[in-house]
Amino acid sequence: MKQILISLLLIIALHTTAQQKTENVIIITLDGFRWQEVFGGADSILINHDKFTEDKKGLQEKFWAATVDDRRKKLLPFFWNTIAQQGQLYGNRWHNNFVNNANPYWFSYPGYNEIFTGHPDTAVNSNDKRWNKNENVLEFINKQKGFEGKVAAFTSWDVFPWILNEERSKVYVNSAFESLSFKSPTFDLLNEMQMTAPRFLGDGVRPDLLTFYIAKEYLKTYKPRVLYIGFDETDDFAHGGKYDMYLHSAYMVDQLIADLWGWLQIDPHYKNKTTIIITTDHGRGDAKKEQWTSHGAKIPDAGQIWLAVMGPDTEVKGEVKTQGQLYQKQIASTIASFLGFTFKTVKAVSEPVTDVLSK
């Protein structure tokens, strides 16, 4: 009997180990990037709009196609040629598959708070640089054995040190044009580049391209277990009514994610052991009403978002077309669950997205 019990326990342990392959998680956000472009590609109204698109012919040549499938592949080739073949995509409302903010504000700080803390908070209702009182999943993981000092965030927007409460959480957060303290020829060059780069979006937003390459160099050098990359340009160009730049920025980020995923597949520390989660902080308004430039509680549709997940523990489902409802608040516990943790704080945290956690 004792031998049978030992054998059963060994089988259970081996099964659990086989089930849980993810050792690292990378979270990526595209600020204010609409689900309509994720699932439909270039918007027919906006790409032909005199007010929002300066070079209509050039944009059409690059991003327009006769079918939705072709349009979205042109705009986001990595999403639709790789994630759709190897992971899961949620939020196509044309198929009654919904992903929403749970917070009622539908703008950035409340959205990022919800992503990382697992719950909306009515006290988080502005984009002001105020220390977030809510514990986030990155600092929770950073406290776990084997993860100390192995969690980092690189973001284009300069409010993230407050959103993630770098002061309390002890998670390394590098945002906007914050100087790099790491010393190597590559880091020195990246630091010089960001300090001399034109600040076309102001002092508070670093170009996404620089944010990416700084984050990637950190990944290659320090091998974090959890890495967050927060892109911002899609939101800024949308607010400026520049649909052409909005699309070009989204396309660029898709290419950067493809570059990152390709590198992860050849590095022994990350290959077949890394899950990637991609989402947005909020949606935007309707193109027909010319509200796509805005978001917030007074803009219908601005609480509509999307979610993409791919990794060794996620069953291949591609674009999920079944009716369903997910919320942004589920992402935090999903991140923790991939690493074998149950995210708990003094406040109630939403349950994870279970469908992405089993294969």
Side-chain angles (χ1 to χ4, degrees):
M1 179 62 75
K2 184 177 179 181
Q3 186 61 44
I4 293 174
L5 181 59
I6 291 173
S7 298
L8 285 172
L9 290 173
L10 181 59
I11 290 170
I12 292 170
L14 289 172
H15 178 71
T16 302
T17 302
Q19 286 287 93
Q20 197 73 35
K21 297 177 182 177
T22 298
E23 297 179 10
N24 317 283
V25 175
I26 294 176
I27 308 105
I28 296 172
T29 56
L30 285 74
D31 197 299
F33 188 53
R34 302 193 311 163
W35 68 268
Q36 289 94 331
E37 277 80 22
V38 172
F39 294 98
D43 190 299
S44 60
I45 295 173
L46 297 175
I47 201 171
N48 293 296
H49 204 293
D50 291 334
K51 180 180 177 182
F52 300 128
T53 300
E54 185 175 343
D55 180 15
K56 292 196 285 282
K57 183 180 178 181
L59 207 63
Q60 289 165 1
E61 288 177 354
K62 187 170 181 64
F63 295 122
W64 188 252
T67 68
V68 169
D69 283 352
D70 288 338
R71 286 199 297 275
R72 65 191 189 181
K73 284 181 180 179
K74 275 194 163 189
L75 179 62
L76 304 173
F78 179 74
F79 269 62
W80 293 105
N81 293 322
T82 302
I83 300 178
Q85 305 303 316
Q86 300 178 26
Q88 298 181 21
L89 285 151
Y90 293 87
N92 189 339
R93 305 179 87 86
W94 294 314
H95 291 294
N96 295 315
N97 190 265
F98 305 125
V99 187
N100 284 78
N101 292 117
N103 79 78
Y105 304 112
W106 306 349
F107 61 88
S108 291
Y109 198 144
Y112 291 119
N113 171 76
E114 187 178 332
I115 288 172
F116 290 107
T117 70
H119 59 84
D121 185 353
T122 54
V124 179
N125 53 24
S126 80
N127 281 338
D128 294 343
K129 293 178 178 178
R130 296 176 179 174
W131 296 114
N132 194 340
K133 295 180 180 179
N134 300 304
E135 182 180 5
N136 66 72
V137 70
L138 301 185
E139 67 179 301
F140 170 82
I141 295 171
N142 196 48
K143 295 174 184 175
Q144 309 306 314
K145 186 176 180 180
F147 288 82
E148 305 96 329
K150 291 293 183 179
V151 181
F154 293 84
T155 72
S156 295
W157 190 35
D158 68 351
V159 183
F160 272 100
W162 285 265
I163 295 172
L164 299 174
N165 203 328
E166 183 179 25
E167 186 178 72
R168 182 199 65 225
S169 70
K170 307 307 178 188
V171 171
Y172 177 71
V173 183
N174 179 277
S175 298
F177 295 93
E178 183 179 354
S179 182
L180 302 169
S181 59
F182 317 110
K183 293 299 178 184
S184 75
T186 303
F187 277 122
D188 290 343
L189 176 60
L190 288 166
N191 201 47
E192 183 178 349
M193 289 172 67
Q194 74 165 343
M195 293 307 166
T196 56
R199 303 192 177 193
F200 58 91
L201 296 174
D203 290 338
V205 180
R206 176 169 54 199
D208 285 341
L209 190 67
L210 285 171
T211 295
F212 172 78
Y213 281 110
I214 291 169
K216 185 181 177 184
E217 186 63 21
Y218 184 90
L219 188 76
K220 292 166 65 176
T221 304
Y222 295 102
K223 297 292 192 294
R225 300 284 300 276
V226 180
L227 180 71
Y228 169 53
I229 306 175
F231 295 109
D232 195 74
E233 288 179 14
T234 44
D235 188 65
D236 289 289
F237 288 132
H239 280 305
K242 299 178 179 179
Y243 193 64
D244 43 5
M245 297 304 296
Y246 170 85
L247 293 186
H248 283 301
S249 180
Y251 175 80
M252 177 190 72
V253 169
D254 178 88
Q255 297 301 289
L256 296 178
I257 298 172
D259 174 85
L260 178 64
W261 184 253
W263 181 84
L264 292 170
Q265 303 318 302
I266 61 173
D267 185 274
H269 184 82
Y270 293 104
K271 183 180 180 180
N272 298 325
K273 296 181 285 188
T274 303
T275 288
I276 189 168
I277 299 172
I278 313 170
T279 189
T280 188
D281 54 332
H282 56 74
R284 315 197 75 82
D286 184 78
K288 293 180 181 178
K289 300 176 182 178
E290 297 192 0
Q291 292 181 326
W292 78 279
T293 61
S294 301
H295 55 86
K298 294 182 180 180
I299 303 296
D301 307 339
Q304 301 173 358
I305 60 171
W306 50 270
L307 175 68
V309 181
M310 180 171 62
D313 295 309
T314 299
E315 181 183 355
V316 177
K317 293 184 178 180
E319 178 186 4
V320 179
K321 297 180 179 180
T322 54
Q323 184 172 347
Q325 176 71 68
L326 297 176
Y327 288 96
Q328 190 177 59
K329 62 183 180 180
Q330 295 179 260
I331 296 172
S333 55
T334 304
I335 295 168
S337 294
F338 271 120
L339 298 170
F341 302 123
T342 300
F343 179 40
K344 293 182 179 180
T345 72
V346 294
K347 295 185 179 180
V349 173
S350 184
E351 72 284 354
V353 181
T354 54
D355 282 353
V356 304
L357 292 165
S358 57
K359 192 168 186 178

